[in-house]
Amino acid sequence: MIFRQLYEPLSSTYTYLLGDEQTGRAILIDPVISTMERDLAEVHRLGLKLAYTVDTHIHADHITGALELKRAVGSKIATPAHDNLSCTDIGIEEGKPFQVDGITLHPLHTPGHTEGHFSYLFNDRVFTGDALLIEGCGRTDFQNGDADALYKSVKEKLFSLPDETLVYPSHDYKQRFVSSIAQEKARNPRLGDNKTLEEFKHIMANLNLPYPKFIDYAVLGNQQCGVCPKDLPENLESYCQQMNRSPQG
């Protein structure tokens, strides 16, 4: 199995490339439109063909590359069925493995950051999207976010995985690449160290985070599987410009 962790610096987003060495087919988890050329170059460099893009949720801080990648190379789009997006080729559901040749993702519905959020378990690792970050978690104050639901998702679905399971999130803002379930259970300041639901809700209610500057454009664009709005303010145009950047991670 081929695995690459790729980084988009504007929104601090991780994209994950998984490739089947035998068939040459690959998937990208949480691709970003501004780095799609970089991602395709990496796919081609490895001698792979992109078969699917897979998103963990409807993102609020960047535009997914799913639709433009489909237009460029014919890859299909997989998104959580819960979001009921008309642009999706395959709706992902918990209990139904998502398989591309030798790559099998086990979807876990992990709502809380968004209502339709999914994590994907793959062998010894789990791609947690924004549900569980390295020593953090996604915010719960927009897109039908729910602190109670996120607490339950992490405690009952993610923290129930084997301690040695590697945690690969959708974002990190401190140049960290990977964690583990054991580390997050012990060190996560919001959800670890046996935090109670009430403690977690108090933490989340007092984050005092600013309103996401790109959310009003990103959510609408991502509900269409990755359409950049035509009326982007000049200070936000870089979110949709193509950038060729080297892989990191």
Side-chain angles (χ1 to χ4, degrees):
M1 189 270 297
I2 296 170
F3 172 72
R4 294 291 186 275
Q5 183 181 39
L6 308 166
Y7 182 67
E8 187 281 304
L10 192 60
S11 60
S12 299
T13 297
Y14 283 126
T15 296
Y16 298 97
L17 168 62
L18 301 177
D20 185 311
E21 293 174 297
Q22 300 301 315
T23 67
R25 296 212 298 166
I27 69 172
L28 282 171
I29 298 175
D30 285 341
V32 180
I33 194 169
S34 60
T35 48
M36 61 169 283
E37 292 178 0
R38 185 276 316 269
D39 294 349
L40 284 178
E42 184 69 1
V43 169
H44 296 153
R45 185 186 72 80
L46 294 167
L48 300 170
K49 176 180 173 60
L50 184 63
Y52 280 92
T53 57
V54 182
D55 274 290
T56 54
H57 62 293
I58 295 174
H59 305 276
D61 55 5
H62 67 268
I63 299 288
T64 176
L67 184 60
E68 290 303 317
L69 287 164
K70 180 177 183 176
R71 290 171 174 168
V73 297
S75 51
K76 293 185 178 181
I77 297 173
T79 64
H82 185 281
D83 292 326
N84 195 30
L85 302 183
S86 61
C87 51
T88 295
D89 294 302
I90 291 183
I92 293 177
E93 301 177 62
E94 183 168 297
K96 296 183 179 180
F98 176 77
Q99 186 167 3
V100 177
D101 302 328
I103 303 166
T104 302
L105 302 181
H106 295 278
L108 301 171
H109 185 208
T110 48
H113 174 62
T114 67
E115 193 173 16
H117 191 287
F118 267 70
S119 300
Y120 302 113
L121 180 64
F122 174 68
N123 295 345
D124 65 344
R125 62 202 64 191
V126 60
F127 302 101
T128 55
D130 286 23
L132 180 64
L133 305 178
I134 298 173
E135 297 186 6
C137 65
R139 58 196 294 178
T140 58
D141 57 337
F142 56 77
Q143 288 182 273
N144 294 321
D146 185 324
D148 291 74
L150 183 56
Y151 183 89
K152 183 176 181 180
S153 293
V154 173
K155 292 288 189 173
E156 296 183 8
K157 293 190 177 178
L158 298 178
F159 280 3
S160 66
L161 297 172
D163 280 352
E164 62 271 18
T165 304
L166 299 175
V167 172
Y168 285 98
S170 283
H171 302 282
D172 191 77
Y173 308 98
K174 298 181 179 179
Q175 297 183 319
R176 298 167 298 188
F177 303 108
V178 62
S179 183
S180 69
I181 293 298
Q183 178 171 308
E184 294 311 310
K185 286 162 73 172
R187 294 173 49 180
N188 193 299
R190 298 182 187 175
L191 287 151
D193 195 26
N194 296 313
K195 285 284 190 303
T196 66
L197 174 58
E198 291 308 312
E199 288 175 319
F200 176 66
K201 289 170 67 174
H202 178 77
I203 290 170
M204 299 305 288
N206 290 278
L207 292 177
N208 297 317
L209 296 172
Y211 186 74
K213 61 183 177 181
F214 195 50
I215 185 172
D216 294 329
Y217 303 97
V219 171
L220 181 60
N222 288 328
Q223 288 172 338
Q224 302 172 74
C225 294
V227 174
C228 279
K230 297 178 181 179
D231 58 342
L232 265 184
E234 186 175 347
N235 66 315
L236 296 177
E237 288 180 351
S238 56
Y239 283 88
C240 282
Q241 291 173 349
Q242 298 300 310
M243 295 182 292
N244 288 303
R245 295 183 183 271
S246 301
Q248 297 184 30

